């Protein structure tokens, strides 16, 4: 699951293990994966990151239920 975040010039995404990562944007639709990094606990966005990660996890779970109903 990915959240595009132009306000912080990048995107936040959950990796396979549910860790929230930040990937910087290069230009619209292009990402600089060389500098993708998990958000450390001292990051300024950590409080928002916890909320965002929870929302992405919940959305992922709901989408899986929807997909598997078909």
């Amino acid at each position: 699951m990915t959240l595009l975040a132009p306000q912080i010039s990048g995107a936040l995404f959950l990796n396979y293990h549910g860790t929230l990562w930040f990937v910087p944007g290069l230009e619209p639709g292009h990402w600089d994966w060389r500098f993708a990094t998990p958000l450390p606990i001292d990051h300024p966005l950590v409080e928002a990151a916890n909320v965002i990660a929870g929302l992405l996890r919940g959305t992922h779970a709901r989408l899986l239920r929807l997909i598997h109903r078909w």
Side-chain angles (χ1 to χ4, degrees):
M1 297 294 302
T2 303
L3 172 67
L4 302 179
Q7 301 87 338
I8 56 173
S9 301
L12 299 169
F13 68 96
L14 289 176
N15 73 357
Y16 182 76
H17 300 289
T19 303
L20 192 67
W21 283 60
F22 171 77
V23 60
L26 295 170
E27 57 185 70
H30 298 278
W31 311 104
D32 196 350
W33 291 103
R34 298 170 299 165
F35 296 103
T37 182
L39 289 182
I41 59 170
D42 62 343
H43 192 279
L45 290 174
V46 77
E47 285 186 37
N50 290 333
V51 173
I52 291 167
L55 292 170
L56 289 174
R57 285 186 194 101
T59 301
H60 175 73
R62 287 180 184 90
L63 286 173
L64 284 178
R65 285 195 304 249
L66 178 67
I67 292 168
H68 292 293
R69 282 182 24 191
W70 299 39

